[in-house]
Amino acid sequence: MIVRILNEGQWTLDDEAFASLNAHDDQIEEAVDSGDEVLLTRALTALLDEVRSRGTAVPDDSLADSDLILPDAEATLEEVREWLADNSAGEGLVPG
């Protein structure tokens, strides 16, 4: 699966990586629900770090569609709240 981090790039991740990504995703949803910007920043940074460390970077000159798009680390509470609201499946940022 190809994951894009906005304003940064793409990484290829295997299916096994998604279990650990979902733990961070749960924290992101908790932060949004409680309005906790500090927790959001911490959880979003951890999620993106996990993508970078577990994934393989897709070369910039490669044209590949992203299966999953994540906000960048600078996303605000309101931006992530809107991002989650746009996800009609109700699965958070990461499916599964």
Side-chain angles (χ1 to χ4, degrees), residues 4 6 11-12 17-19 29 31 35 41 43 51 56 62-63 73 76 79 81 86 88 95-96:
R4 173 177 296 284
L6 283 184
W11 285 262
T12 302
F18 283 87
E29 289 185 80
T41 300
V51 169
T56 302
S62 177
L63 297 175
T76 66
E79 289 169 335
R81 183 175 285 125
D86 287 345
S88 61

Side-chain angles (χ1 to χ4, degrees), residues 4-30:
R4 173 177 296 284
I5 299 173
L6 283 184
N7 302 318
E8 193 169 327
Q10 294 176 302
W11 285 262
T12 302
L13 283 102
D14 58 28
D15 291 339
E16 293 80 39
F18 283 87
S20 63
L21 295 181
N22 274 311
H24 299 299
D25 193 31
D26 291 344
Q27 290 179 334
I28 289 168
E29 289 185 80
E30 179 184 320

Side-chain angles (χ1 to χ4, degrees), residues 25-33 40 70-71 77-94:
D25 193 31
D26 291 344
Q27 290 179 334
I28 289 168
E29 289 185 80
E30 179 184 320
V32 170
D33 289 344
L40 172 67
L70 298 173
L77 187 64
E78 188 56 38
E79 289 169 335
V80 175
R81 183 175 285 125
E82 288 176 22
W83 198 287
L84 292 170
D86 287 345
N87 181 354
S88 61
E91 293 187 337
L93 296 176
V94 178

Side-chain angles (χ1 to χ4, degrees), residues 16-73:
E16 293 80 39
F18 283 87
S20 63
L21 295 181
N22 274 311
H24 299 299
D25 193 31
D26 291 344
Q27 290 179 334
I28 289 168
E29 289 185 80
E30 179 184 320
V32 170
D33 289 344
S34 67
D36 188 335
E37 189 91 38
V38 173
L39 177 60
L40 172 67
T41 300
R42 188 178 321 128
L44 187 55
T45 298
L47 173 67
L48 301 179
D49 287 347
E50 188 88 15
V51 169
R52 292 181 202 107
S53 67
R54 297 202 52 170
T56 302
V58 175
D60 290 336
D61 61 350
S62 177
L63 297 175
D65 287 336
S66 300
D67 299 300
L68 175 63
I69 301 173
L70 298 173
D72 61 25

